[in-house]
Amino acid sequence: FKEQLDPARPAIWLGDLNVAPEPVDVYHPDRRVNDPDFHSDAREAYRHAAGWGFTDVFRQLYPDRKIYTFWDYFRNAFGRNAGLRIDHFLLSPTISYRLTAAGVDRQVRGWEKTSDHAPVWIELAG
């Protein structure tokens, strides 16, 4: 980020980053400590990259809420809401003040033959 991005210009980092940064982002975090998407090394790498100045939109708006974006196909994970938040929107300081809303269209995950991820979205003020 230091080489490619200008902190004075707006930037949005988004996508399936395959890391759940905090225990609140994982169903039963105590059982997932060695999983790649919740391993301490992955979480530290995420924190290091986000430390460039990015704001995690879901944690800004909903600091303690369990919000999942991914549910495995095994053991009825979606039906039990046994998910992870591994899809992210992160905003640079020059745009984060414009954040007005963010969410997960969870119902899409329940559709037949759908992805194991649900769509995530944000709204920014003009």
Side-chain angles (χ1 to χ4, degrees), residues 72-91:
D72 208 329
Y73 286 117
F74 301 109
R75 297 184 311 262
N76 190 32
F78 182 68
R80 296 181 302 113
N81 198 30
L84 303 121
R85 185 176 72 98
I86 59 175
D87 303 278
H88 302 277
F89 269 99
L90 296 111
L91 306 177

Side-chain angles (χ1 to χ4, degrees), residues 13 15-27 29-30 32-33 35-51 54-60 62-70 83-90 120:
W13 178 24
D16 173 3
L17 303 182
N18 280 324
V19 61
E22 301 296 332
V24 69
D25 299 319
V26 178
Y27 179 80
D30 53 320
R32 303 208 49 138
V33 293
D35 290 358
D37 47 27
F38 192 62
H39 192 275
S40 60
D41 291 344
R43 294 168 58 210
E44 179 55 34
Y46 174 93
R47 280 191 288 274
H48 178 73
F54 285 104
T55 297
D56 178 333
V57 302
F58 288 106
R59 290 298 149 239
Q60 179 175 328
Y62 316 108
D64 301 315
R65 187 180 300 174
K66 287 186 181 230
I67 298 171
Y68 302 138
T69 63
F70 170 89
L84 303 121
R85 185 176 72 98
I86 59 175
D87 303 278
H88 302 277
F89 269 99
L90 296 111
V120 296

Side-chain angles (χ1 to χ4, degrees), residues 3-18:
E3 295 173 9
Q4 298 294 321
L5 299 176
D6 178 353
R9 299 191 63 201
I12 301 174
W13 178 24
L14 64 109
D16 173 3
L17 303 182
N18 280 324

